[in-house]
Structure formats: structure tokens, C-alpha cells
């Protein structure tokens, strides 16, 4: 069973006064209604849709008695204020990408993705069986929330560019819509990072206010129409190799739930995690084929750019580790785990993937 | 939400007379006790352990009212008779690798692994969102069971060899413990496949009754001690690139469950799926390091062997497709889906994995 001991323990403070009278051991479970606020618009059916996956599964598991209503970004609070809303108890439940709160503390980024970080499988291994869930929740506890892993997009694309990028020099002065940690790394290479909400990217690219933009991957990017205003689509999105999504629950609200309902949320979040990855894997390639058929030019950052980016990322990590002990603690756990995982992938899966690529056409 | 519509429909025949009186809509759920029979011994804590993961989660989700007792191979029926036991209603619930029933019909193999098949992520995408769950359960229904995906070992090792294998000629006459579909393919290259139960492999290797044996991967193989009697450990286990495990439920028993308990089993199986992969990823590399430190020599089948094996596999597929329409139906779905997935992995994840392998040491 996935390690839940930490999460159950995390709520001890909140539940101390509640457990004795909790209805978990009586036969009729209580009717509970929660609100979930999402960082995503309904149009992103894989991302926002995960909250519906969770709400439906929880309802099925509790015979409808634990009801969760899902609210898109902006319905209750703006998409980037989910953490605040859950922390303050405005809502019990949120669905978000934790790196949105990078500005509060860069340590949050380990919940979603960090440059040259782990992929879906590696992140799951770290989270569920490598100490990740515990160490990350030790950090989140101060924000008054419990974080449950509930999704992953798989490696994201490097973004849409109006012109080709063939060298580090081509990055200098480039106005690139890219957020948080990646922006900090790319700044070292001369990029001018731009923070622009999803809905405004298209017009900024069209007007030339920005030169490039990254969003998610083919399935989501196609919907926003970027292909019409930027011809070159880059692979090697090294800043988001396995971006994870999380549900966050207000710590006090979590503590008031009967164990059966806690188990329902845990199960539903695990399902949403594997479900989102399966959807992206099944659908991204179909969207990419459509994009390529209508003229998109697929490219990948070359080795010079990748190596310069990696060097810049190591500098940012060193600076952040020096300034932030909590960041360093999770950094060391995360990248120590990654080292073994990269070695393991070379022994087994990578070699096989290369062979299959040579024979499956 | 993972597509469950098929599975719910699959039970319609069995439930037609039951639904009206089912207790799903009343508030007190019934106390139900099921037995699960596993194909695995308790010593394999990741494989057998999945059945405990499932039983514990189902108990937590139903406040203990739906109780599943887990039984290792041999306690109720032998490990390779799980399908028969569930099919006949001896037990309600089984945990097995469906390719064990390859001898009944090679079509069963698509439930676990087929030569040069899909990896964990690709298989999940096919099963949950590529039509796999439906097409495979259409086939299983005739065996009176519903199959739920509930685990994956990740790519397995190519096995333990007493001498190096440097060419296809070195395979000729090789007595190799390898089962089912892989054995049929390897026969074409002159290998003499041996069917030997897990517990008997060590002594056969030690005595030289066999020249080589494949089992799972470092974490499980280390426990069986093969390193002491065979020095060379091969990667490129092309016959098991993403072996999946399944829970099977007797169709009539499934139909008598309240929807809430069906949901509990579905959720628990999804959890076991991601949990097993995370365990193997976290633990295989640690076991491999120990094996290498104590003298195991890591090798990989070379391109000549891989290409000859792939050619032989395509011949076996062509022969089996010609002889078995159901096999062909699933073959075409599975390999059609794989083609897109291999293309997608080349665009995104493989390139990144290669870069990381070059910088993460």
C-alpha cells in the first residue's frame, strides 16, 4: 500500500480533539460536502478534468455521501490562489501545480517540476517509496495543507518559437513566456522570461510582444492555437520532464474526515495520477500528428543549448541551496534519488526504447 | 475517471437478476468476505504483496465491511491454476499474470507481456484510454472472469547466463528457463526453452541442468540467489518490456457486489498498479548495485541477437495471427497503439533520458 503513514500522522495535530468522537467506526457514514477549487479552466479537460475524476470516484466509494463540487479557476478564487484559499480554509480542497507558489518559496517547485528533474515513473518512485511524500509534506505542513500526488503531464514540450533557435546566442534577448524556476535559469542565458496567463499567450505571440511561449504539450497546446502564430515546436523541455499535479487539503478539514473518507481521497488521487498520464500518452501523439500535418516544424534544442542550460540550472540550484535550507533538504533527497534512477533507466528501459525505435515504424 | 463502463457492462449478464435487490442504495452496506488466491509465494513481497495492498485498501474504503483474505500460491490452488479457480468459482478473486494461461490460448499473453511489446506507460495508455481494457475483457469474458489491471514490474532482465552470449550461434542448444511466448520465439533461434517453477531454478542452474534462466529483475532475482551460480546478467529482456499483473474476479461474484464495493476493488487495483511500479523502480537499482558489488557481470544482448529475435517474433506473430482470430484482433489493437507510442517516446522522453544519462553521474 502506498505509504500513507505520514499523511495520517500529519493530521494528528488537527484531529487530536476529533478522533475520539469521529464517526469512522459507526456504520452510517456522515454526509459531507466539500468544495474543490482548481487552478485550471474547464477547457483543459485533462488538467481540470482530474478534479472531476477525483470527485466522481470519491462519490462512488462513499455511496454518494461524501460529495465534492469542483470549481474551475476564477469561480471561487483565481487559479494561482488555490494554495491561499485552502490554507485559509476558504475551501477545504484544491487542485493545483505546486510550483505556482515558487514566489512564496522555491521549495514548492519540488511538488511539480524542477529543471533537469525526474520523469513520471521516477517521480512516483521518489514520492511513494523514496521518502518524497514525507519530506514534501513536512514542508507543506507549515502552509496548513496536506499534499496528495494526483497527476502528471509527462514531459512537456520546449515550446513554440517564431524563429529557430540554433545556439545559445539565439536565446539572448528572447522574450519567452516561461514561469518560475525555468525563467530563473534561462535568465542566465540571456532570455527575458515573461509571465503571461494561458489565455493571453496567443495574442502576445501573434502581436510579437513575445518571441516564444511554452505551455504543456501537443494535446493542450493545439487547443490554444499556438501553431497558427509560431511555426517551430521544440522538444527538450528540460524544465518540465515530469510535471506532477497535487491535491491539497486544509489540514484541519483533513483531520475531521473519517478514515474511510480519507482513504477515498487517497485512492481517488492515485487513480487521477495514473489516469492523467495515460490520457496524455494516448492523446499527445494524435495531436502532434495533426499539428505536423498542418505545417508545424518539429525541432529539439541542440546539445550546446542543453549543456549551457544544465550548467545554468546547476548554478541556480547552488545559489538556492545556499540561501534556503529547506530547499536544500528536498533538493538533496530528490536529486540523490534521481541519480540512481537515471542509472537504472540506462541499464534497462532506455536501451530497449532505442531498439524499439529502430524497428517499430 | 478510468474507463470502467466496459467492466460494469461485462457483469450485466450476471447481475441482471441481482441489481433490483442489490443493497447499493441502502445506507448500511453488507458484510462480505472474499478469498483471493495468488500465483505468487509470500516471499515475493512486491508481487504477492500487491494482493495485500488491494485487500487493505478495500477494507479501508469499506470500513472493514468488505473483507478479502489473501492466499499465497499453493494454499488453495497451485500458482498456475488461479484462472481455473476463479473461473470455476472455487474462489471469487485471483491475482495472477495472465500469460501463465498461454497454453490455453496465446491471446491471454496480451494481459501480461508479449515479445517486443509495450512498457509500463504505454501499456497503461492502451489499457485505460486506448481500448485495451475493453478488448481484453471481451476475450476474458468467455473464461467467466473480469480482469482488472493491478501491477507492472517494469522491463525485466534478460536473465542469468553461465557463459556469455555474443552471437545467435551462442543461443543454439542453450537450455534456457523461459516460459510461454518467449520460448516459442527463442526456439526459432535454436534455444531449448525449459519450464521450471521459480523455486527449482536455482538448483537446476547450479547442477548445470540448464544453462540460463530468466526470472524478474534485480530485486526479485537477488532473493533467489542466481548470482551465486551464474555470473552474467543480461539486460534487453525483450519478451517482458512492461509485464502487467491482473486481478481476476469471477463474473457472477462481480455482479453480486454493490457498486460501492466494485468501485473499491477498481480503485485498489489502480493503486496496486502504480504502487508496484514505484517499488520496483525504487528498489531494483539498489539490488543491482549490491549484485554488481559482489561480482555479477552486467551484459546486454547485442544488436545481432536483438534483430534476429525481433525477426523471429514477427514470424511467430504472423503464424499465431493466421491461426487465431482473437489473437489477431488484440494483436492489431496492441501493436497499432504501440506504433504511435514508440513515435511519441522518440519525440519527447527518450531524447531527454539520453541527455540526462550524459550529465547525471
Amino acid at each position: 500500500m502506498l505509504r500513507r503513514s505520514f499523511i495520517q500522522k500529519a493530521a494528528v495535530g488537527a484531529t487530536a480533539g476529533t478522533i475520539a468522537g469521529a464517526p469512522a467506526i459507526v456504520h452510517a457514514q456522515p454526509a459531507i460536502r466539500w468544495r474543490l477549487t482548481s487552478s485550471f479552466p474547464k477547457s483543459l479537460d485533462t488538467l481540470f478534468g482530474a478534479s472531476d475524476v477525483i470527485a466522481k470516484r470519491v462519490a462512488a466509494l462513499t455511496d454518494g455521501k461524501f460529495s465534492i463540487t469542483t470549481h474551475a479557476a476564477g469561480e471561487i478564487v483565481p487559479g494561482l490562489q488555490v494554495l491561499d484559499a485552502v490554507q485559509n480554509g476558504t475551501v477545504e480542497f484544491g487542485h493545483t501545480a505546486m510550483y505556482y507558489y515558487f514566489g512564496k518559496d522555491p521549495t514548492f517547485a519540488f511538488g511539480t517540476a524542477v529543471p533537469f528533474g525526474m520523469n513520471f515513473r521516477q517521480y512516483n518512485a521518489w514520492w511513494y517509496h523514496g521518502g518524497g511524500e514525507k519530506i514534501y509534506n513536512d514542508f507543506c505542513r507549515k502552509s496548513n495543507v496536506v499534499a496528495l500526488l494526483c497527476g502528471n503531464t509527462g514531459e512537456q514540450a520546449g515550446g513554440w518559437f517564431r524563429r529557430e533557435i540554433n545556439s545559445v546566442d539565439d536565446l539572448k534577448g528572447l522574450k519567452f513566456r516561461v514561469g518560475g524556476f525555468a525563467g530563473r535559469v534561462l535568465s542566465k542565458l540571456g532570455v527575458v522570461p515573461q509571465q503571461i496567463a494561458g489565455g493571453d499567450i496567443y495574442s502576445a505571440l501573434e502581436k510579437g510582444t513575445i518571441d516564444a511561449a511554452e505551455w504543456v504539450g501537443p494535446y493542450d497546446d493545439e487547443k490554444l492555437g499556438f501553431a497558427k502564430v509560431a511555426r517551430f515546436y521544440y522538444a527538450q523541455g528540460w524544465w518540465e520532464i515530469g510535471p506532477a499535479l497535487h491535491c491539497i487539503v486544509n489540514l484541519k478539514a483533513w483531520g475531521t474526515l473519517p478514515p474511510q473518507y480519507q482513504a477515498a481521497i487517497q485512492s481517488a488521487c492515485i487513480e487521477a495520477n495514473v489516469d492523467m498520464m495515460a490520457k496524455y500518452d494516448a492523446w499527445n501523439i494524435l495531436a502532434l500528428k495533426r499539428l505536423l500535418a498542418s505545417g508545424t516544424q518539429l525541432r529539439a534544442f541542440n546539445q550546446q543549448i542543453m549543456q549551457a542550460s544544465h550548467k545554468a540550472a546547476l548554478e541556480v540550484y547552488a545559489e538556492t541551496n545556499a540561501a534556503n535550507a529547506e530547499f536544500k533538504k528536498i533538493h538533496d533527497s530528490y536529486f540523490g534519488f534521481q541519480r540512481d534512477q537515471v542509472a537504472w533507466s540506462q541499464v534497462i528501459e532506455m536501451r530497449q526504447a532505442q531498439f524499439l525505435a529502430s524497428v517499430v515504424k
Side-chain angles (χ1 to χ4, degrees), chain A:
Chain A
M1 191 169 288
L2 297 169
R3 296 184 180 183
R4 302 189 314 274
S5 58
F6 164 72
I7 288 196
Q8 277 154 354
K9 214 162 56 182
V12 164
T15 52
T18 328
I19 279 179
I25 53 162
V26 303
H27 287 279
Q29 294 289 355
I32 293 182
R33 191 179 183 88
W34 273 13
R35 295 190 305 170
L36 177 153
T37 187
S38 170
S39 286
F40 308 103
K42 289 193 176 168
S43 56
L44 295 174
D45 61 339
T46 42
L47 289 165
F48 176 80
S51 58
D52 281 335
V53 167
I54 291 164
K56 280 183 191 154
R57 180 59 87 180
V58 168
L61 288 169
T62 61
D63 201 19
K65 289 197 279 292
F66 185 8
S67 158
I68 296 165
T69 57
T70 60
H71 300 271
E75 283 182 28
I76 300 175
V77 295
L80 302 183
Q81 291 174 27
V82 170
L83 175 60
D84 309 78
V86 175
Q87 182 171 357
N88 301 336
T90 305
V91 294
E92 298 87 359
F93 206 12
H95 181 236
T96 190
M98 298 303 283
Y99 67 2
Y100 289 157
Y101 314 103
F102 176 84
K104 294 178 193 285
D105 188 325
T107 312
F108 279 113
F110 288 107
T112 311
V114 293
F116 299 99
M118 291 192 275
N119 66 21
F120 170 69
R121 268 177 61 173
Q122 297 165 346
Y123 191 85
N124 283 346
W126 178 69
W127 184 267
Y128 294 129
H129 292 288
E133 181 176 54
K134 180 182 184 318
I135 203 170
Y136 192 74
N137 270 287
D138 282 344
F139 168 73
C140 286
R141 193 176 200 167
K142 287 173 302 182
S143 299
N144 202 33
V145 300
V146 173
L148 299 108
L149 177 58
C150 73
N152 201 301
T153 68
E155 184 177 337
Q156 298 195 0
W160 297 87
F161 292 74
R162 291 163 60 94
R163 54 185 172 78
E164 284 188 88
I165 303 296
N166 294 315
S167 70
V168 174
D169 277 350
D170 289 344
L171 293 173
K172 293 203 179 4
L174 190 88
K175 284 174 286 179
F176 184 29
R177 185 270 173 199
V178 61
F181 220 136
R184 198 174 285 189
V185 174
L186 284 163
S187 294
K188 288 188 177 272
L189 303 176
V191 168
V192 186
Q194 310 285 311
Q195 307 274 0
I196 299 173
D200 300 326
I201 300 173
Y202 180 90
S203 66
L205 257 183
E206 188 182 31
K207 288 175 194 155
T209 314
I210 57 175
D211 304 305
E214 65 86 41
W215 181 237
V216 182
Y219 181 72
D220 292 321
D221 293 4
E222 184 189 32
K223 289 183 191 166
L224 297 189
F226 302 141
K228 293 179 203 131
V229 287
R231 188 171 162 218
F232 300 102
Y233 196 28
Y234 274 76
Q236 294 283 60
W238 48 258
W239 49 90
E240 295 182 295
I241 294 174
L245 287 301
H246 283 82
C247 276
I248 49 177
V249 183
N250 177 277
L251 204 53
K252 187 175 170 200
W254 181 252
T256 61
L257 282 186
Q260 188 180 345
Y261 290 7
Q262 290 183 347
I265 285 185
Q266 289 166 334
S267 276
C269 284
I270 293 163
E271 171 171 351
N273 185 21
V274 63
D275 182 54
M276 187 185 290
M277 190 69 264
K279 282 174 175 163
Y280 275 116
D281 277 335
W283 302 340
N284 264 330
I285 182 63
L286 305 179
L288 181 63
K289 284 178 170 182
R290 289 189 295 267
L291 289 166
L292 296 178
S294 56
T296 288
Q297 300 288 308
L298 192 62
R299 296 286 184 276
F301 299 131
N302 64 27
Q303 285 295 298
Q304 185 213 16
I305 294 169
M306 290 299 288
Q307 280 161 7
S309 301
H310 185 250
K311 183 167 172 284
L314 293 185
E315 289 169 15
V316 174
Y317 285 133
E319 291 158 14
T320 317
N321 281 338
N324 185 328
E326 280 186 307
F327 184 92
K328 182 175 188 309
K329 186 178 167 193
I330 302 188
H331 169 278
D332 292 352
S333 163
Y334 181 99
F335 283 104
F337 194 85
Q338 183 198 37
R339 197 173 308 121
D340 273 351
Q341 293 300 303
V342 169
W344 176 235
S345 76
Q346 285 174 265
V347 174
I348 295 276
E349 305 265 352
M350 228 173 84
R351 197 180 262 132
Q352 196 68 262
Q354 285 165 347
F355 179 76
L356 283 168
S358 75
V359 292
V360 176
K361 304 286 178 190

